[in-house]
Amino acid sequence: MDTELANRIADNLARVRERIAAAEARYGRPPGSVALLAVSKVQGAERINAAHAAGQTAFGESYVQEALDKQAVLADLPLLWHFVGRVQTNKTRDIAAHFDWLHSLCDSKHARRLAAQRPAGAPPLQVCVQVNLSGEASKAGLPPEEAAALIDACRALSGIAVAGLMTLPAPAEDLATQRRPFAALRALRDRLATPDLPLSTLSMGMTADLEAAIAEGATMVRVGTAVFGPRPPAVGA
Ligand SMILES: *Cc1c(COP(=O)(O)O)cnc(C)c1O
């Protein structure tokens, strides 16, 4: 392993863990209540290997084929794979077969396909329903008023389990503005949670706004740049 790269990623991870711990303390969250998902899209397998060596086990990917290629290289490591990208209908089988989590479910047809395609014997695919709280047509995610129907559609499906909600807001500079969509996601969760489906996962917060998300109850932050450094341009982009 390239030791300079490994040291850099280990330092980055330590700093991100410190940011998470500091935000937990500042906002009255129990220590360890916020999990770190390292978003490794467009980053090479060597970087994932380095992050794993520094204690990181959960990785987020946005492009199915790229993820499968890296999973093959890293098959000997006990990693958990989260799909955070836009779901395409023709990729549901690969997502169902090769991921532990899906953060970006927006469509009941995809839910039915993923459940049917989840391999027999595998634990249910943990899914978050992605909600668009910035109201931008270009951003993925359901309008909040459609989340309940999708969650209900998922209840009957045995291959997937709804763990909670996810959001990816438009970037904002100041903490108060950053907090608004995260507070809205938490409020939506509080409205939709039931004893049998507590929706305990709130997947929200990235490099630029993880403190705001933790202040509003994030249980999982999805961090790419602060862990791996700036992303190289996507192949074909
Ligand atoms: C890329 C990505 C992230 C990580 O973003 P950073 O700003 O690099 O931390 C988080 N969530 C999703 C859905 C992403 O696509």
Side-chain angles (χ1 to χ4, degrees):
M1 201 188 293
D2 174 343
T3 51
E4 194 186 310
L5 175 70
N7 289 339
R8 182 149 38 85
I9 288 176
D11 286 349
N12 289 349
L13 266 173
R15 274 197 294 274
V16 172
R17 291 183 189 126
E18 280 166 21
R19 281 178 65 185
I20 292 170
E24 286 171 342
R26 171 170 319 158
Y27 297 108
R29 304 286 311 281
S33 57
V34 180
L36 171 60
L37 177 66
V39 178
S40 46
K41 63 175 182 229
V42 199
Q43 305 283 1
E46 190 185 28
R47 286 167 190 246
I48 298 174
N49 202 2
H52 172 259
Q56 181 66 28
T57 53
F59 293 89
E61 292 284 336
S62 298
Y63 308 103
V64 171
Q65 191 53 52
E66 181 205 325
L68 265 47
D69 292 346
K70 289 188 279 189
Q71 288 173 356
V73 174
L74 298 164
D76 290 343
L77 299 182
L79 307 180
L80 289 168
W81 294 97
H82 294 231
F83 192 74
V84 302
R86 209 177 270 256
V87 178
Q88 293 174 282
T89 304
N90 66 351
K91 300 287 193 212
T92 56
R93 185 174 299 279
D94 282 331
I95 294 171
H98 298 287
F99 287 86
D100 302 288
W101 281 71
L102 168 65
H103 288 239
S104 43
L105 183 68
C106 310
D107 182 324
S108 61
K109 180 183 69 178
H110 292 161
R112 285 193 300 275
R113 288 175 66 94
L114 290 160
Q117 293 167 340
R118 186 70 171 167
L125 180 68
Q126 300 293 311
V127 304
C128 293
V129 169
Q130 183 174 355
V131 182
N132 181 348
L133 294 159
S134 317
E136 289 167 283
S138 62
K139 290 265 176 190
L142 282 179
E145 58 276 14
E146 292 177 22
L150 178 53
I151 291 167
D152 274 345
C154 292
R155 278 175 189 274
L157 301 171
S158 56
I160 63 176
V162 183
L165 304 179
M166 180 274 227
T167 197
L168 174 58
E173 290 297 320
D174 64 293
L175 188 74
T177 310
Q178 290 176 350
R179 285 179 69 157
R180 229 167 275 141
F182 298 142
L185 192 73
R186 185 191 51 188
L188 179 66
R189 188 279 305 279
D190 293 348
R191 270 204 309 285
L192 299 179
T194 57
D196 66 311
L197 206 58
L199 304 173
S200 50
T201 298
L202 288 176
S203 167
M204 55 191 200
M206 312 195 292
T207 292
D209 55 13
L210 69 90
E211 283 82 4
I214 291 170
E216 296 297 347
T219 63
M220 202 180 296
V221 290
R222 310 178 310 268
V223 182
T225 308
V227 172
F228 294 108
R231 278 183 284 281
V235 179

